[in-house]
Amino acid sequence: MNEKLEAFGRLLKIMDELREKCPWDREQTFESLRKLTIEETYELGDAILQADLQEIKKELGDVLLHIVFYAKIGEEKKAFDIADVINSLNEKLIYRHPHIYGEVDVTNAREVEQNWESLKLKEKGRKKKTVLEGVPASLPALVKANRIQEKASGVGFDWEHPEQVWDKVKEEVNELQDELTADNRDEIEAEFGDLFFAMVNAARLYGVDPEAALERTNLKFIKRFNYLESQTLKKGKDLKGLSLAEMDKYWDEAKKLE
């Protein structure tokens, strides 16, 4: 523990020095750091998807730097400091885990999630009054859909059994097909959205992160397509000049190499 505290103390000292002496660090604000924080978060996400432990360690450091940076700016504004940030987090964790620090009994993770959402709504001094207000508006649509569904589920708005979701998925597919047949452009977009939302729900119910699942497929497609392109170039050809059958041949080769 002492080693960890010393490391964290050293980081805080370095942050103080950078904020005082470095022209770039001195100019940063909450607003200027925001886009960089988002970028660092995505880089951490990439490292996690790649299961690269050394890269995860590095990216966690970058994210931690941003947290310390924001706390330092808050301290300068006499609004809060890093101790306030950590103490607030400690209190929240204890309050929202009454099954650990209180007398509440739970039997599974789902009950923990439901208690968490209920307790969030009861916290004193909270500005947010509804379940879904806590979902950031700037989240990417796929991540937002998953978070909305998790929060709704946390207060009991969910299917009793995962397999029940497939009736909804089939319903959305049929409605989309109807609009495609009618060539109703506005409704086609709406029905695609409904279908995507239903599929995100299905993934959640089966314990699959839809963002990670889609990114896994993205990476798989990129790998196979790059193989297709490289083999085409080796033969002195151009992708546009290949037939679909020739492309499928290289695609199947790429699949076999995985």
Side-chain angles (χ1 to χ4, degrees):
M1 178 63 74
N2 288 338
E3 183 180 351
K4 295 174 183 177
L5 291 175
E6 288 175 7
F8 191 63
R10 186 182 179 206
L11 171 60
L12 295 179
K13 182 179 179 181
I14 291 172
M15 184 74 256
D16 289 343
E17 291 175 344
L18 293 178
R19 189 67 174 170
E20 178 184 354
K21 301 175 182 178
C22 174
W24 185 89
D25 289 278
R26 198 162 49 231
E27 291 180 0
Q28 299 315 302
T29 64
F30 288 138
E31 293 74 19
S32 69
L33 288 173
R34 178 179 178 274
K35 63 180 181 297
L36 300 177
T37 306
I38 293 171
E39 180 181 336
E40 294 296 353
T41 304
Y42 275 107
E43 289 178 358
L44 173 60
D46 287 345
I48 292 171
L49 286 175
Q50 294 162 11
D52 187 332
L53 296 181
Q54 289 303 309
E55 195 65 17
I56 290 172
K57 179 183 73 172
K58 171 182 172 294
E59 297 302 339
L60 282 172
D62 291 342
V63 172
L64 178 57
L65 169 61
H66 280 242
I67 293 170
V68 170
F69 212 146
Y70 287 121
K72 179 61 180 177
I73 296 173
E75 181 180 350
E76 293 168 354
K77 293 178 178 292
K78 295 181 170 50
F80 59 85
D81 61 17
I82 191 65
D84 296 320
V85 172
I86 295 173
N87 284 329
S88 176
L89 175 59
N90 290 341
E91 291 167 7
K92 179 169 67 175
L93 289 174
I94 291 171
Y95 175 75
R96 294 188 188 173
H97 289 80
H99 53 289
I100 303 296
Y101 301 102
E103 298 179 355
V104 174
D105 293 325
V106 296
T107 58
N108 53 49
R110 179 175 173 78
E111 290 183 8
V112 173
E113 290 176 0
Q114 290 176 334
N115 283 340
W116 181 280
E117 293 300 335
S118 297
L119 288 167
K120 285 177 69 174
L121 294 176
K122 294 178 182 177
E123 287 175 10
K124 294 181 179 180
R126 278 178 46 80
K127 294 180 180 179
K128 299 182 179 68
K129 301 299 182 182
T130 68
V131 173
L132 298 182
E133 276 188 273
V135 180
S138 58
L139 279 179
L142 184 63
V143 179
K144 185 189 292 185
N146 190 48
R147 196 70 191 105
I148 288 170
Q149 292 162 7
E150 287 177 340
K151 283 185 169 290
S153 175
V155 292
F157 188 74
D158 207 350
W159 280 277
E160 292 182 0
H161 306 287
E163 58 271 17
Q164 293 173 322
V165 74
W166 296 114
D167 287 336
K168 184 63 175 175
V169 172
K170 291 172 185 176
E171 174 189 323
E172 298 300 348
V173 170
N174 290 335
E175 291 179 359
L176 173 58
Q177 289 176 329
D178 289 343
E179 297 301 341
L180 287 168
T181 300
D183 197 25
N184 187 337
R185 304 311 301 175
D186 287 340
E187 289 303 317
I188 287 172
E189 179 180 357
E191 294 301 338
F192 264 115
D194 290 346
L195 178 56
F196 292 153
F197 195 84
M199 285 302 300
V200 169
N201 234 339
R204 176 186 61 82
L205 287 165
Y206 283 90
V208 173
D209 178 355
E211 174 75 13
L214 182 57
E215 181 60 8
R216 182 175 179 176
T217 296
N218 288 341
L219 296 174
K220 180 168 59 179
F221 184 93
I222 290 170
K223 184 176 181 180
R224 292 177 183 176
F225 193 86
N226 285 345
Y227 177 85
L228 185 161
E229 186 174 23
S230 67
Q231 294 303 306
T232 302
L233 292 174
K234 282 181 181 178
K235 297 187 180 335
K237 297 181 180 180
D238 185 87
L239 278 175
K240 292 182 180 179
L242 291 185
S243 67
L244 186 57
E246 289 175 305
M247 289 186 180
D248 282 341
K249 173 179 173 292
Y250 290 129
W251 189 267
D252 289 339
E253 287 180 7
K255 289 176 64 176
K256 290 178 182 178
L257 290 172
E258 291 175 0

